[in-house]
Amino acid sequence: MKLLLKFNLVFIVVFALGLVATGYVTWDLLQRNARDETLDRARLLLQSALSVRQYTTEHVEPLLRTQMKYVFLPESIPAFSAGEVLHTMQQKYPDYGFKEAMLNPTNPRDRAADWEADIVNRFRSGAHEGEMVGERSTPSGASLYIAWPIKITDPTCLVCHSTIEAAPRTMVDRYGQANGFGWQMQEVVGARVISVPLTVPQERARVAFRAFMLWLAGVIVAIGLVLNLMLWLLVIRPVKRLAAIANRVSLGQFDAPDFAVGGRDEMRVLSDSLSRMRKSLVQAMKMLET
């Protein structure tokens, strides 16, 4: 097997192993970055919902407090305002979802679906605190969700949700007496759940992965070609010339040209050694002839 073929076989094996290892690490990194990007987006939307709630509590509700005695205005309810703002956003981004999912809501639209109820119950059982992250399948693809518990820490919430007698009459007239009552302090009554699609960032990760691997393969192939050229010019061609001259000398053709290799590398050392060996051989042959 020729030296150049051996070199290329070793190079191909090393190249394949390196490409597989690099591909694995790169794919894992890009997927984790896609997930982290989606989580950051979801947290931003959740924080936006909380900001709307706070604005409604501090600025809108006081202005409508008097009117609430005569007619119930859902716009004064922080949860309603936050939901309306993000539901408006959903008209442009239908794959995004936001809901303040409640087990016992006043507004029927806030009632938790089965998978949302599971999240609320896990918060209530103490299995999770602060934040829950997970994935679920949707008709449009994989979706990443973040859930934050809704815990009663403000006594003013119990004005509307403790007993039917304490609740505003206008609210009871609008939503009835069946739901939204019996809440207690420090009780987890629901969860703020936001869903963000994973398909877009994952597709971006796949495109980036393909581009990176193609560029990497191209660079490695170019390096292989350069190394082959260098090996041919610096090693194989000089060795073949030296081997041809040495073969002629071994057959008694002492008029063969000298072993001339330029430079100061190992090939020059080999060339000088062969030249000295040739001179010694010529002198020995002359001594035998005499």
Side-chain angles (χ1 to χ4, degrees):
M1 186 180 294
K2 294 186 177 181
L3 179 62
L4 191 60
L5 180 57
K6 291 180 180 179
F7 171 80
N8 279 288
L9 288 177
V10 173
F11 180 80
I12 290 173
V13 171
V14 174
F15 160 72
L17 293 176
L19 196 64
V20 170
T22 303
Y24 175 80
V25 173
T26 303
W27 176 256
D28 181 67
L29 179 63
L30 288 174
Q31 289 298 313
R32 284 193 285 112
N33 285 343
R35 182 182 174 88
D36 291 342
E37 176 186 346
T38 305
L39 286 175
D40 290 341
R41 193 174 301 171
R43 291 190 181 100
L44 178 62
L45 292 175
L46 272 177
Q47 195 59 50
S48 300
L50 292 180
S51 298
V52 173
R53 287 178 60 93
Q54 183 176 354
Y55 178 82
T56 303
T57 300
E58 295 178 355
H59 300 281
V60 177
E61 192 274 334
L63 295 176
L64 301 179
R65 191 172 298 162
T66 302
Q67 299 181 37
M68 287 281 286
K69 296 179 180 179
Y70 306 101
V71 59
F72 182 77
L73 300 174
E75 291 79 10
S76 65
I77 306 302
F80 180 87
S81 299
E84 286 298 302
V85 169
L86 292 187
H87 289 159
T88 302
M89 180 202 69
Q90 283 183 282
Q91 296 177 5
K92 187 173 182 180
Y93 302 99
D95 293 333
Y96 287 71
F98 172 77
K99 186 175 180 181
E100 292 203 351
M102 317 291 282
L103 297 179
N104 181 24
T106 299
N107 191 336
R109 80 172 189 180
D110 296 330
R111 186 171 301 279
D114 291 340
W115 69 276
E116 294 167 336
D118 292 338
I119 294 175
V120 177
N121 287 325
R122 293 174 71 179
F123 279 130
R124 289 170 64 90
S125 67
H128 288 272
E129 293 183 4
E131 180 177 277
M132 187 185 303
V133 177
E135 292 185 25
R136 57 187 298 265
S137 298
T138 66
S140 59
S143 180
L144 188 68
Y145 68 82
I146 291 183
W148 292 352
I150 300 177
K151 191 174 185 178
I152 305 302
T153 57
D154 186 354
T156 58
C157 294
L158 299 182
V159 173
C160 296
H161 300 286
S162 58
T163 62
I164 299 175
E165 293 74 20
R169 177 53 49 187
T170 53
M171 186 188 80
V172 176
D173 292 341
R174 177 164 183 148
Y175 294 110
Q177 303 180 10
N179 299 299
F181 302 104
W183 296 6
Q184 299 177 8
M185 288 293 295
Q186 303 302 317
E187 179 188 9
V188 175
V189 296
R192 295 182 183 92
V193 183
I194 192 157
S195 301
V196 181
L198 273 171
T199 51
V200 173
Q202 285 180 341
E203 181 59 28
R204 290 176 181 171
R206 282 191 287 268
V207 171
F209 176 76
R210 287 194 296 266
F212 174 78
M213 295 304 293
L214 287 174
W215 274 103
L216 179 61
V219 169
I220 293 179
V221 169
I223 292 174
L225 293 175
V226 172
L227 290 177
N228 272 270
L229 181 61
M230 293 178 61
L231 182 64
W232 170 259
L233 294 176
L234 301 178
V235 178
I236 295 178
R237 188 174 68 171
V239 167
K240 291 180 69 173
R241 288 176 55 196
L242 293 174
I245 296 173
N247 186 54
R248 291 178 61 183
V249 172
S250 68
L251 296 174
Q253 301 178 15
F254 298 116
D255 58 342
D258 291 334
F259 302 101
V261 176
R264 298 181 180 180
D265 54 12
E266 289 79 1
M267 295 303 301
R268 176 61 181 272
V269 174
L270 177 61
S271 174
D272 293 342
S273 299
L274 290 175
S275 296
R276 289 193 298 270
M277 184 179 68
R278 176 189 177 187
K279 292 178 181 179
S280 299
L281 182 61
V282 171
Q283 292 178 358
M285 294 298 295
K286 288 181 178 179
M287 290 176 63
L288 289 174
E289 290 176 357
T290 57

